[in-house]
Amino acid sequence: ETNGPLLEALGSGRAILATRTGSIEEIAGGAARYASAEPESIREGIQALLDPGERAQREAAAELAAAALSWERSARAHAALFRQVADG
């Protein structure tokens, strides 16, 4: 499992159709429209994302999610955790 395509889509501010598997929901949150693996669910998800309002909402959420997942933010969080552990 890799989250590379998901992160690329978020970073590009694209609407995402995804399943609720692995860490996808944790990473994408409200930026993604979710569907099951059933064809009807996928069809409904695609149709929903063809709506300009729905797509615009998901794309705005993707930009916010991508900003929260920056390498700099991750490095700062890890450094703070390491300091906390080192300080006991």
PDB file of all heavy atoms in Angstrom, residues 43-70:
ATOM      1  N   ARG A  43     -19.858   4.535  -9.341  1.00  0.00           N
ATOM      2  CA  ARG A  43     -20.609   5.365 -10.279  1.00  0.00           C
ATOM      3  C   ARG A  43     -21.203   6.580  -9.586  1.00  0.00           C
ATOM      4  O   ARG A  43     -21.099   7.713 -10.067  1.00  0.00           O
ATOM      5  CB  ARG A  43     -21.717   4.558 -10.961  1.00  0.00           C
ATOM      6  CG  ARG A  43     -22.484   5.356 -12.030  1.00  0.00           C
ATOM      7  CD  ARG A  43     -23.739   4.634 -12.492  1.00  0.00           C
ATOM      8  NE  ARG A  43     -24.723   4.470 -11.448  1.00  0.00           N
ATOM      9  CZ  ARG A  43     -25.528   5.440 -11.007  1.00  0.00           C
ATOM     10  NH1 ARG A  43     -25.449   6.649 -11.497  1.00  0.00           N
ATOM     11  NH2 ARG A  43     -26.403   5.195 -10.061  1.00  0.00           N
ATOM     12  N   GLU A  44     -21.799   6.360  -8.424  1.00  0.00           N
ATOM     13  CA  GLU A  44     -22.390   7.469  -7.666  1.00  0.00           C
ATOM     14  C   GLU A  44     -21.324   8.473  -7.240  1.00  0.00           C
ATOM     15  O   GLU A  44     -21.553   9.680  -7.268  1.00  0.00           O
ATOM     16  CB  GLU A  44     -23.137   6.933  -6.444  1.00  0.00           C
ATOM     17  CG  GLU A  44     -24.404   6.184  -6.786  1.00  0.00           C
ATOM     18  CD  GLU A  44     -25.020   5.497  -5.587  1.00  0.00           C
ATOM     19  OE1 GLU A  44     -24.465   5.574  -4.458  1.00  0.00           O
ATOM     20  OE2 GLU A  44     -26.070   4.844  -5.770  1.00  0.00           O
ATOM     21  N   GLY A  45     -20.162   7.971  -6.844  1.00  0.00           N
ATOM     22  CA  GLY A  45     -19.079   8.861  -6.449  1.00  0.00           C
ATOM     23  C   GLY A  45     -18.583   9.716  -7.599  1.00  0.00           C
ATOM     24  O   GLY A  45     -18.352  10.915  -7.448  1.00  0.00           O
ATOM     25  N   ILE A  46     -18.438   9.096  -8.766  1.00  0.00           N
ATOM     26  CA  ILE A  46     -18.004   9.851  -9.945  1.00  0.00           C
ATOM     27  C   ILE A  46     -19.043  10.896 -10.315  1.00  0.00           C
ATOM     28  O   ILE A  46     -18.703  12.058 -10.579  1.00  0.00           O
ATOM     29  CB  ILE A  46     -17.734   8.893 -11.135  1.00  0.00           C
ATOM     30  CG1 ILE A  46     -16.499   8.036 -10.837  1.00  0.00           C
ATOM     31  CG2 ILE A  46     -17.558   9.675 -12.429  1.00  0.00           C
ATOM     32  CD1 ILE A  46     -16.287   6.903 -11.822  1.00  0.00           C
ATOM     33  N   GLN A  47     -20.305  10.503 -10.304  1.00  0.00           N
ATOM     34  CA  GLN A  47     -21.365  11.460 -10.624  1.00  0.00           C
ATOM     35  C   GLN A  47     -21.360  12.631  -9.645  1.00  0.00           C
ATOM     36  O   GLN A  47     -21.536  13.778 -10.044  1.00  0.00           O
ATOM     37  CB  GLN A  47     -22.731  10.779 -10.625  1.00  0.00           C
ATOM     38  CG  GLN A  47     -22.982   9.974 -11.875  1.00  0.00           C
ATOM     39  CD  GLN A  47     -24.393   9.430 -11.914  1.00  0.00           C
ATOM     40  OE1 GLN A  47     -24.899   8.924 -10.913  1.00  0.00           O
ATOM     41  NE2 GLN A  47     -25.021   9.521 -13.079  1.00  0.00           N
ATOM     42  N   ALA A  48     -21.152  12.343  -8.378  1.00  0.00           N
ATOM     43  CA  ALA A  48     -21.130  13.411  -7.376  1.00  0.00           C
ATOM     44  C   ALA A  48     -19.991  14.380  -7.652  1.00  0.00           C
ATOM     45  O   ALA A  48     -20.161  15.604  -7.531  1.00  0.00           O
ATOM     46  CB  ALA A  48     -21.007  12.825  -5.969  1.00  0.00           C
ATOM     47  N   LEU A  49     -18.826  13.861  -8.023  1.00  0.00           N
ATOM     48  CA  LEU A  49     -17.673  14.726  -8.269  1.00  0.00           C
ATOM     49  C   LEU A  49     -17.770  15.478  -9.591  1.00  0.00           C
ATOM     50  O   LEU A  49     -17.015  16.429  -9.818  1.00  0.00           O
ATOM     51  CB  LEU A  49     -16.379  13.920  -8.212  1.00  0.00           C
ATOM     52  CG  LEU A  49     -16.015  13.408  -6.821  1.00  0.00           C
ATOM     53  CD1 LEU A  49     -14.753  12.560  -6.877  1.00  0.00           C
ATOM     54  CD2 LEU A  49     -15.847  14.551  -5.833  1.00  0.00           C
ATOM     55  N   LEU A  50     -18.694  15.092 -10.448  1.00  0.00           N
ATOM     56  CA  LEU A  50     -18.931  15.855 -11.674  1.00  0.00           C
ATOM     57  C   LEU A  50     -19.735  17.126 -11.398  1.00  0.00           C
ATOM     58  O   LEU A  50     -19.740  18.034 -12.219  1.00  0.00           O
ATOM     59  CB  LEU A  50     -19.646  14.984 -12.720  1.00  0.00           C
ATOM     60  CG  LEU A  50     -18.791  13.867 -13.321  1.00  0.00           C
ATOM     61  CD1 LEU A  50     -19.645  12.985 -14.240  1.00  0.00           C
ATOM     62  CD2 LEU A  50     -17.593  14.424 -14.068  1.00  0.00           C
ATOM     63  N   ASP A  51     -20.377  17.186 -10.238  1.00  0.00           N
ATOM     64  CA  ASP A  51     -21.103  18.396  -9.841  1.00  0.00           C
ATOM     65  C   ASP A  51     -20.079  19.474  -9.480  1.00  0.00           C
ATOM     66  O   ASP A  51     -19.222  19.247  -8.618  1.00  0.00           O
ATOM     67  CB  ASP A  51     -21.994  18.095  -8.632  1.00  0.00           C
ATOM     68  CG  ASP A  51     -22.667  19.332  -8.115  1.00  0.00           C
ATOM     69  OD1 ASP A  51     -23.667  19.746  -8.726  1.00  0.00           O
ATOM     70  OD2 ASP A  51     -22.173  19.909  -7.113  1.00  0.00           O
ATOM     71  N   PRO A  52     -20.143  20.644 -10.127  1.00  0.00           N
ATOM     72  CA  PRO A  52     -19.135  21.687  -9.875  1.00  0.00           C
ATOM     73  C   PRO A  52     -19.038  22.120  -8.414  1.00  0.00           C
ATOM     74  O   PRO A  52     -17.939  22.352  -7.905  1.00  0.00           O
ATOM     75  CB  PRO A  52     -19.587  22.844 -10.771  1.00  0.00           C
ATOM     76  CG  PRO A  52     -20.409  22.213 -11.839  1.00  0.00           C
ATOM     77  CD  PRO A  52     -21.064  21.030 -11.187  1.00  0.00           C
ATOM     78  N   GLY A  53     -20.154  22.194  -7.719  1.00  0.00           N
ATOM     79  CA  GLY A  53     -20.131  22.595  -6.312  1.00  0.00           C
ATOM     80  C   GLY A  53     -19.449  21.569  -5.424  1.00  0.00           C
ATOM     81  O   GLY A  53     -18.634  21.906  -4.567  1.00  0.00           O
ATOM     82  N   GLU A  54     -19.799  20.314  -5.630  1.00  0.00           N
ATOM     83  CA  GLU A  54     -19.175  19.218  -4.866  1.00  0.00           C
ATOM     84  C   GLU A  54     -17.678  19.169  -5.148  1.00  0.00           C
ATOM     85  O   GLU A  54     -16.863  19.047  -4.238  1.00  0.00           O
ATOM     86  CB  GLU A  54     -19.814  17.879  -5.255  1.00  0.00           C
ATOM     87  CG  GLU A  54     -19.126  16.655  -4.700  1.00  0.00           C
ATOM     88  CD  GLU A  54     -19.564  16.262  -3.314  1.00  0.00           C
ATOM     89  OE1 GLU A  54     -20.541  16.851  -2.808  1.00  0.00           O
ATOM     90  OE2 GLU A  54     -18.933  15.375  -2.725  1.00  0.00           O
ATOM     91  N   ARG A  55     -17.321  19.265  -6.423  1.00  0.00           N
ATOM     92  CA  ARG A  55     -15.908  19.200  -6.797  1.00  0.00           C
ATOM     93  C   ARG A  55     -15.135  20.369  -6.186  1.00  0.00           C
ATOM     94  O   ARG A  55     -14.041  20.173  -5.638  1.00  0.00           O
ATOM     95  CB  ARG A  55     -15.755  19.186  -8.322  1.00  0.00           C
ATOM     96  CG  ARG A  55     -14.341  18.883  -8.771  1.00  0.00           C
ATOM     97  CD  ARG A  55     -14.227  18.666 -10.267  1.00  0.00           C
ATOM     98  NE  ARG A  55     -14.748  19.762 -11.056  1.00  0.00           N
ATOM     99  CZ  ARG A  55     -15.876  19.724 -11.767  1.00  0.00           C
ATOM    100  NH1 ARG A  55     -16.603  18.635 -11.803  1.00  0.00           N
ATOM    101  NH2 ARG A  55     -16.270  20.775 -12.458  1.00  0.00           N
ATOM    102  N   ALA A  56     -15.696  21.569  -6.244  1.00  0.00           N
ATOM    103  CA  ALA A  56     -15.016  22.744  -5.677  1.00  0.00           C
ATOM    104  C   ALA A  56     -14.817  22.595  -4.175  1.00  0.00           C
ATOM    105  O   ALA A  56     -13.757  22.939  -3.643  1.00  0.00           O
ATOM    106  CB  ALA A  56     -15.803  24.012  -5.988  1.00  0.00           C
ATOM    107  N   GLN A  57     -15.821  22.055  -3.492  1.00  0.00           N
ATOM    108  CA  GLN A  57     -15.711  21.845  -2.040  1.00  0.00           C
ATOM    109  C   GLN A  57     -14.598  20.850  -1.725  1.00  0.00           C
ATOM    110  O   GLN A  57     -13.787  21.073  -0.820  1.00  0.00           O
ATOM    111  CB  GLN A  57     -17.039  21.332  -1.492  1.00  0.00           C
ATOM    112  CG  GLN A  57     -17.009  21.011  -0.015  1.00  0.00           C
ATOM    113  CD  GLN A  57     -18.303  20.353   0.454  1.00  0.00           C
ATOM    114  OE1 GLN A  57     -19.252  20.177  -0.298  1.00  0.00           O
ATOM    115  NE2 GLN A  57     -18.327  19.977   1.712  1.00  0.00           N
ATOM    116  N   ARG A  58     -14.538  19.755  -2.466  1.00  0.00           N
ATOM    117  CA  ARG A  58     -13.512  18.726  -2.234  1.00  0.00           C
ATOM    118  C   ARG A  58     -12.118  19.243  -2.588  1.00  0.00           C
ATOM    119  O   ARG A  58     -11.144  18.929  -1.912  1.00  0.00           O
ATOM    120  CB  ARG A  58     -13.817  17.460  -3.034  1.00  0.00           C
ATOM    121  CG  ARG A  58     -15.135  16.812  -2.725  1.00  0.00           C
ATOM    122  CD  ARG A  58     -15.212  16.251  -1.341  1.00  0.00           C
ATOM    123  NE  ARG A  58     -16.549  15.722  -1.104  1.00  0.00           N
ATOM    124  CZ  ARG A  58     -16.891  15.027  -0.056  1.00  0.00           C
ATOM    125  NH1 ARG A  58     -16.018  14.763   0.882  1.00  0.00           N
ATOM    126  NH2 ARG A  58     -18.122  14.602   0.083  1.00  0.00           N
ATOM    127  N   GLU A  59     -12.026  20.058  -3.638  1.00  0.00           N
ATOM    128  CA  GLU A  59     -10.726  20.592  -4.036  1.00  0.00           C
ATOM    129  C   GLU A  59     -10.202  21.585  -2.992  1.00  0.00           C
ATOM    130  O   GLU A  59      -9.010  21.592  -2.684  1.00  0.00           O
ATOM    131  CB  GLU A  59     -10.822  21.233  -5.421  1.00  0.00           C
ATOM    132  CG  GLU A  59     -10.958  20.168  -6.505  1.00  0.00           C
ATOM    133  CD  GLU A  59     -11.216  20.720  -7.888  1.00  0.00           C
ATOM    134  OE1 GLU A  59     -11.507  21.934  -8.027  1.00  0.00           O
ATOM    135  OE2 GLU A  59     -11.126  19.930  -8.855  1.00  0.00           O
ATOM    136  N   ALA A  60     -11.082  22.403  -2.430  1.00  0.00           N
ATOM    137  CA  ALA A  60     -10.664  23.326  -1.366  1.00  0.00           C
ATOM    138  C   ALA A  60     -10.203  22.539  -0.138  1.00  0.00           C
ATOM    139  O   ALA A  60      -9.193  22.880   0.488  1.00  0.00           O
ATOM    140  CB  ALA A  60     -11.812  24.262  -1.003  1.00  0.00           C
ATOM    141  N   ALA A  61     -10.930  21.473   0.191  1.00  0.00           N
ATOM    142  CA  ALA A  61     -10.544  20.632   1.324  1.00  0.00           C
ATOM    143  C   ALA A  61      -9.218  19.927   1.050  1.00  0.00           C
ATOM    144  O   ALA A  61      -8.417  19.725   1.966  1.00  0.00           O
ATOM    145  CB  ALA A  61     -11.646  19.610   1.620  1.00  0.00           C
ATOM    146  N   ALA A  62      -8.958  19.562  -0.198  1.00  0.00           N
ATOM    147  CA  ALA A  62      -7.694  18.905  -0.554  1.00  0.00           C
ATOM    148  C   ALA A  62      -6.520  19.843  -0.314  1.00  0.00           C
ATOM    149  O   ALA A  62      -5.477  19.426   0.208  1.00  0.00           O
ATOM    150  CB  ALA A  62      -7.719  18.451  -2.020  1.00  0.00           C
ATOM    151  N   GLU A  63      -6.677  21.108  -0.669  1.00  0.00           N
ATOM    152  CA  GLU A  63      -5.598  22.070  -0.441  1.00  0.00           C
ATOM    153  C   GLU A  63      -5.302  22.224   1.049  1.00  0.00           C
ATOM    154  O   GLU A  63      -4.142  22.297   1.457  1.00  0.00           O
ATOM    155  CB  GLU A  63      -5.957  23.407  -1.075  1.00  0.00           C
ATOM    156  CG  GLU A  63      -5.947  23.353  -2.591  1.00  0.00           C
ATOM    157  CD  GLU A  63      -6.370  24.659  -3.228  1.00  0.00           C
ATOM    158  OE1 GLU A  63      -6.511  25.683  -2.516  1.00  0.00           O
ATOM    159  OE2 GLU A  63      -6.550  24.662  -4.453  1.00  0.00           O
ATOM    160  N   LEU A  64      -6.340  22.270   1.873  1.00  0.00           N
ATOM    161  CA  LEU A  64      -6.145  22.376   3.328  1.00  0.00           C
ATOM    162  C   LEU A  64      -5.478  21.118   3.886  1.00  0.00           C
ATOM    163  O   LEU A  64      -4.581  21.204   4.731  1.00  0.00           O
ATOM    164  CB  LEU A  64      -7.485  22.611   4.030  1.00  0.00           C
ATOM    165  CG  LEU A  64      -8.138  23.955   3.785  1.00  0.00           C
ATOM    166  CD1 LEU A  64      -9.528  23.988   4.410  1.00  0.00           C
ATOM    167  CD2 LEU A  64      -7.273  25.081   4.335  1.00  0.00           C
ATOM    168  N   ALA A  65      -5.912  19.960   3.420  1.00  0.00           N
ATOM    169  CA  ALA A  65      -5.329  18.701   3.894  1.00  0.00           C
ATOM    170  C   ALA A  65      -3.858  18.613   3.492  1.00  0.00           C
ATOM    171  O   ALA A  65      -3.019  18.180   4.288  1.00  0.00           O
ATOM    172  CB  ALA A  65      -6.110  17.507   3.334  1.00  0.00           C
ATOM    173  N   ALA A  66      -3.540  19.030   2.285  1.00  0.00           N
ATOM    174  CA  ALA A  66      -2.149  18.982   1.821  1.00  0.00           C
ATOM    175  C   ALA A  66      -1.271  19.904   2.658  1.00  0.00           C
ATOM    176  O   ALA A  66      -0.141  19.550   3.002  1.00  0.00           O
ATOM    177  CB  ALA A  66      -2.071  19.370   0.347  1.00  0.00           C
ATOM    178  N   ALA A  67      -1.785  21.063   3.012  1.00  0.00           N
ATOM    179  CA  ALA A  67      -1.010  22.009   3.827  1.00  0.00           C
ATOM    180  C   ALA A  67      -0.710  21.419   5.205  1.00  0.00           C
ATOM    181  O   ALA A  67       0.359  21.656   5.771  1.00  0.00           O
ATOM    182  CB  ALA A  67      -1.767  23.323   3.969  1.00  0.00           C
ATOM    183  N   ALA A  68      -1.634  20.631   5.723  1.00  0.00           N
ATOM    184  CA  ALA A  68      -1.437  20.013   7.040  1.00  0.00           C
ATOM    185  C   ALA A  68      -0.457  18.855   6.990  1.00  0.00           C
ATOM    186  O   ALA A  68       0.018  18.404   8.025  1.00  0.00           O
ATOM    187  CB  ALA A  68      -2.780  19.535   7.593  1.00  0.00           C
ATOM    188  N   LEU A  69      -0.140  18.366   5.792  1.00  0.00           N
ATOM    189  CA  LEU A  69       0.727  17.199   5.653  1.00  0.00           C
ATOM    190  C   LEU A  69       2.114  17.549   5.120  1.00  0.00           C
ATOM    191  O   LEU A  69       2.786  16.716   4.536  1.00  0.00           O
ATOM    192  CB  LEU A  69       0.060  16.185   4.713  1.00  0.00           C
ATOM    193  CG  LEU A  69      -1.240  15.586   5.211  1.00  0.00           C
ATOM    194  CD1 LEU A  69      -1.910  14.766   4.119  1.00  0.00           C
ATOM    195  CD2 LEU A  69      -0.999  14.730   6.440  1.00  0.00           C
ATOM    196  N   SER A  70       2.565  18.740   5.364  1.00  0.00           N
ATOM    197  CA  SER A  70       3.870  19.135   4.838  1.00  0.00           C
ATOM    198  C   SER A  70       5.002  18.420   5.576  1.00  0.00           C
ATOM    199  O   SER A  70       4.868  18.029   6.733  1.00  0.00           O
ATOM    200  CB  SER A  70       4.056  20.646   4.960  1.00  0.00           C
ATOM    201  OG  SER A  70       4.289  21.004   6.306  1.00  0.00           O
TER     202      SER A  70
END
